[in-house]
Amino acid sequence: MTEFGYFLSCEDFRPAQLLRQAEQAEQAGFRSLWISDHFHPWIGRQGNSPFVWGVIGALSRTSRLPVETAVTCPTVRVHPAVIAQAAATSAVLLEGRFRLGLGSGEALNEHILGGSWPAADVRLEMLEEAVAVIRLLLTGEEVSHRGRHYTVENARLYTLPEIPPPIDISAFGPEATALAARIGDGLITMAPDAGAVRRFRGTDGSRPAYGGLKVCWGRDRAEAVRTAHRLWPSMRLPGELQQVLPTPTHFEQAAELVTEDMVAGAVPCGPDPEEHARHLQAYVDAGFDRVHVSQIGSEQQGFFDFYRDSVLPLVTRDSRDVPDARVTR
């Protein structure tokens, strides 16, 4: 059966609020946590962007749920050797309940040190080398590496978990999915794309696929649509804009092209459990192992009550009738 987790949005909330949401998610029946890793929010109205590794350290003491970064970019802003150390420490603190989600990143977060932002094919090449470096360091051996993009000299991690954390790869599009299939322990994506899941798994049906979904619960659907449009219009920007725009101001300018109707058609909004369940069921039908849901806006307790009482029971009941919803591990 597909499991459901909660997606902690660092762009929208301060650290203490995120820790409280993790507790609320566990109480509401969610089984795991995703947490975003950004230097900037997408737009200024979101208003936050704490350092993810500090929040994960606090989560290790306030939540019993598994935690995964969704996703960290280990290529430009932070060297992969440093990400390896952060991931190893997180896995120790969480006692094996940590997965490392990695992706090729966005200029919004990665250009801040003044370097150029590479083309898409170069970003994927950098990600592949970065993952190789991280996996080497997680063995606990001393590593020296001189590759096309990264140099590591006499590096060794001394604080290590008993088992290295799995590394899942975020993919949008066929090239990234092919890379995820080659180097990833699992797939991360934000659309219920059954074809991407099949391409990722290939002949290995045991590798998990994890999806994410933004929602906006509220008692009034029209008001919920306005909230989603005000805070997350960037979700509906086309093509590579999300990867190449450099600042929240640029995203705000581009988002002027996004209408409320465009958001309403993509984001389940309001108080109808059937609407929310339909969107979740699309991931179940596509064969995802886990779906992480993120509530847009300040109505957090109402959302958790709504999902606990009305949505999760509906979807978990329906998913038992889907023969391919659960993948044998």
Side-chain angles (χ1 to χ4, degrees):
M1 183 187 298
T2 302
E3 293 183 352
F4 298 95
Y6 189 69
F7 194 167
L8 297 169
S9 175
C10 286
E11 300 92 329
D12 291 301
F13 300 102
R14 297 182 68 78
Q17 294 173 303
L18 296 168
L19 299 180
R20 173 58 182 152
Q21 289 168 22
E23 295 173 353
Q24 292 170 300
E26 189 168 0
Q27 293 163 4
F30 289 98
R31 302 289 299 276
S32 60
L33 299 170
W34 266 4
I35 185 166
S36 56
D37 179 4
H38 277 231
F39 192 88
H40 293 135
W42 296 96
I43 61 175
R45 285 189 297 276
Q46 292 171 345
N48 283 284
S49 201
F51 188 55
V52 70
W53 302 105
V55 180
I56 289 172
L59 284 171
S60 72
R61 291 294 173 261
T62 59
S63 173
R64 296 172 297 177
L65 296 179
V67 177
E68 178 165 20
T69 53
V71 293
T72 289
C73 179
T75 61
V76 177
R77 173 171 47 107
V78 185
H79 192 283
V82 178
I83 296 298
Q85 186 183 30
T89 300
S90 297
V92 170
L93 285 171
L94 287 159
E95 299 177 328
R97 293 178 286 115
F98 179 74
R99 297 183 76 95
L100 178 60
L102 299 177
S104 59
E106 307 89 15
L108 175 71
N109 306 297
E110 305 306 321
H111 85 292
I112 61 167
L113 301 181
S116 62
W117 182 234
D121 59 337
V122 177
R123 299 199 300 268
L124 292 178
E125 183 180 89
M126 294 172 73
L127 178 60
E128 183 165 12
E129 185 177 340
V131 171
V133 168
I134 291 168
R135 289 195 188 279
L136 284 172
L137 285 164
L138 289 173
T139 66
E141 299 297 322
E142 183 177 296
V143 174
S144 292
H145 168 88
R146 291 176 178 82
R148 181 170 182 179
H149 301 286
Y150 303 106
T151 298
V152 180
E153 288 190 358
N154 309 122
R156 180 183 172 189
L157 298 181
Y158 282 83
T159 300
L160 287 164
E162 293 184 9
I163 300 174
I167 298 176
D168 302 327
I169 304 299
S170 174
F172 303 90
E175 293 82 6
T177 302
L179 176 63
R182 189 163 65 250
I183 68 173
D185 298 312
L187 172 71
I188 290 174
T189 190
M190 293 294 289
D193 187 341
V197 173
R198 287 194 299 270
R199 290 192 297 274
F200 168 74
R201 288 188 177 131
T203 59
D204 183 0
S206 66
R207 290 191 296 173
Y210 301 136
L213 175 68
K214 291 282 187 184
V215 309
C216 189
W217 173 84
R219 293 179 178 83
D220 180 85
R221 188 177 192 278
E223 180 60 31
V225 169
R226 286 191 289 271
T227 298
H229 178 257
R230 177 172 57 86
L231 292 175
W232 281 89
S234 59
M235 291 186 296
R236 302 305 295 156
L237 293 177
E240 280 196 79
L241 286 178
Q242 295 196 48
Q243 281 72 51
V244 301
L245 294 178
T247 70
T249 299
H250 287 93
F251 275 91
E252 290 161 9
Q253 293 168 351
E256 292 178 6
L257 303 174
V258 178
T259 66
E260 286 187 9
D261 286 343
M262 292 167 66
V263 172
V267 179
C269 293
D272 180 5
E274 294 285 350
E275 179 180 356
H276 290 257
R278 281 195 301 273
H279 282 260
L280 293 178
Q281 190 65 41
Y283 288 86
V284 175
D285 294 344
F288 281 78
D289 296 83
R290 190 173 292 158
V291 185
H292 292 85
V293 184
S294 182
Q295 162 72 359
I296 298 171
S298 60
E299 295 281 356
Q300 293 295 316
Q301 188 59 61
F303 160 82
F304 285 117
D305 293 342
F306 172 64
Y307 262 66
R308 181 193 64 226
D309 297 337
S310 301
V311 179
L312 294 182
L314 183 63
V315 184
T316 54
R317 181 198 69 199
D318 289 347
S319 68
R320 285 194 288 267
D321 299 325
V322 181
D324 294 327
R326 184 178 186 276
V327 176
T328 303
R329 298 182 184 278

